[in-house]
Amino acid sequence: MAAQDKVMAGILVLHSTLGAVWTFVVASRFGFPALFLVLNFALVLVGLTAGIGWFRERRWAGVLGLLFFAVQLIHVAAPNFHFSFTLGFSVIVAMGWFGGVRLGINLYALVLLFWLGIRVVSLNGSLKHADAQPDASGS
């Protein structure tokens, strides 16, 4: 496994782990809203699974990682609606105001989505058979 793949796997695991802590801290301030907890911890699980899978060189982990970052990409803020999935990590740039709605993009997620996308495409051949072969633990 290349060093940059270890870094990406580490980012996925670290981002997810710190995102779980962030989710708990934010939820504790708002009285633990169930929908907030469920959605954020689901995203945490997707990121953790992707990171661990990427460490183990599983092709499906790249797809999960792309999903993990894609969900965190777009941000919408309106007077009565707000959509933002960041798990605490974001560099959001607003795209403009449209009838009271502000659209933004998370540059952090965009860079990591692009980087992981390149890795998935470039490693597709070498990871192709990793899913079919059992690892040393026999799983």
Side-chain angles (χ1 to χ4, degrees), residues 71-87:
V71 167
Q72 298 179 70
L73 192 60
I74 303 298
H75 297 267
V76 179
N80 297 321
F81 174 78
H82 184 78
F83 174 84
S84 178
F85 257 135
T86 61
L87 291 181

Side-chain angles (χ1 to χ4, degrees), residues 26-127:
V26 170
S28 68
R29 292 182 183 171
F30 296 110
F32 295 97
L35 184 60
F36 176 81
L37 287 171
V38 168
L39 293 175
N40 279 280
F41 282 127
L43 188 58
V44 164
L45 287 175
V46 168
L48 282 174
T49 303
I52 292 167
W54 198 251
F55 270 124
R56 298 180 73 189
E57 300 181 17
R58 301 294 191 230
R59 182 179 52 195
W60 51 261
V63 175
L64 278 182
L66 292 171
L67 175 66
F68 178 74
F69 292 121
V71 167
Q72 298 179 70
L73 192 60
I74 303 298
H75 297 267
V76 179
N80 297 321
F81 174 78
H82 184 78
F83 174 84
S84 178
F85 257 135
T86 61
L87 291 181
F89 292 97
S90 64
V91 178
I92 300 171
V93 175
M95 303 299 271
W97 289 88
F98 302 99
V101 176
R102 192 172 109 192
L103 301 175
I105 189 164
N106 181 351
L107 296 180
Y108 169 79
L110 179 64
V111 167
L112 290 174
L113 181 71
F114 184 71
W115 182 27
L116 181 57
I118 289 172
R119 297 305 302 155
V120 167
V121 169
S122 68
L123 293 175
N124 195 28
S126 64
L127 292 177

